Amino acid sequence: MPRISLRPATAADVEAVTDIHTAARTAYYLAGGRSDEELTSPTARAERRAAWRRAIEREDRTVLCAVDAGADEAVGVLSMGLPHDDDIDPATTGQLHQIHVRPDSWGKGIGALLHEGFVGLLRERALTTGVLEAWGRNARARSFYAHHGRRPDGHTRPGPGEADYIRLRLELNRASKVTG
């Protein structure tokens, strides 16, 4: 098992974070039936790169990298901030906007470490609830989040490939009882 630590992302991490995001989303969207062209095109990658640069620079967003100390390289990333939806109180809730791990590092506990980092950030900010959206066809992510105590809260929105995004909720009083 590699020695992984979490640290704040910087502008120097944009390329690595974009690569991680591209590889992870390609793996789960291809598994869900999306075409490779729409996932890996240079235009789509450039849009992801610009979005990560903005996220890292925003004051209302936290981006953390999971770094393999032995290789001194980022292997995972998370982004959290204010909730997207108006029915969620930002005074009590933080949203995990994205979490990605390089597919060749799946199953090594990196996602669990990133999730623990998110829960730690919620607690530091005195937030009692965490939400996120998972694509309905991403069975791997949905299983991962269920294992970490997240449950659907009934809210969905249209997603790609005629599959909805499903909002998942984690109440911190339950999180303390969940093991990873």
Side-chain angles (χ1 to χ4, degrees):
M1 166 102 174
R3 198 173 82 229
I4 306 296
S5 61
L6 299 182
R7 65 163 173 74
T10 68
D13 295 312
V14 169
E15 290 301 325
V17 166
T18 302
D19 290 345
I20 292 165
H21 183 187
T22 300
R25 73 177 281 138
T26 299
Y28 64 77
Y29 278 133
L30 285 175
R34 299 286 307 274
S35 77
D36 186 50
E37 289 175 20
E38 62 190 312
L39 300 170
T40 59
S41 75
T43 300
R45 187 184 190 294
E47 289 170 359
R48 280 191 293 281
R49 184 181 187 285
W52 279 110
R53 179 168 297 285
R54 286 190 305 273
I56 289 169
E57 293 172 351
R58 286 177 59 166
E59 290 185 23
D60 65 344
R61 194 65 71 91
T62 300
V63 180
L64 298 179
C65 287
V67 179
D68 180 336
D72 193 31
E73 65 180 338
V75 293
V77 63
L78 77 75
S79 172
M80 78 163 286
L82 298 171
H84 288 302
D85 300 315
D86 293 337
D87 67 326
I88 298 184
D89 182 0
T92 60
T93 305
Q95 181 151 349
L96 180 59
H97 296 293
Q98 298 189 61
I99 186 171
H100 301 287
V101 175
R102 268 189 357 210
D104 64 353
S105 295
W106 287 355
K108 296 181 181 178
I110 297 165
L113 181 65
L114 286 162
H115 189 269
E116 288 172 23
F118 172 69
V119 171
L121 290 167
L122 292 173
R123 290 193 172 148
E124 281 177 23
R125 296 167 186 180
L127 300 172
T128 58
T129 305
V131 295
L132 67 85
E133 291 182 325
W135 187 48
R137 290 190 190 158
N138 189 346
R140 181 181 186 88
R142 291 179 58 209
S143 174
F144 171 84
Y145 290 122
H147 176 76
H148 289 281
R150 293 183 175 269
R151 301 292 176 257
D153 70 0
H155 181 273
T156 62
R157 70 176 174 90
E162 299 179 15
D164 287 340
Y165 286 107
I166 300 164
R167 190 168 67 198
L168 305 174
R169 181 178 296 268
L170 174 72
E171 302 296 335
L172 284 190
N173 59 352
R174 286 190 218 147
S176 62
K177 299 175 188 170
V178 176
T179 59

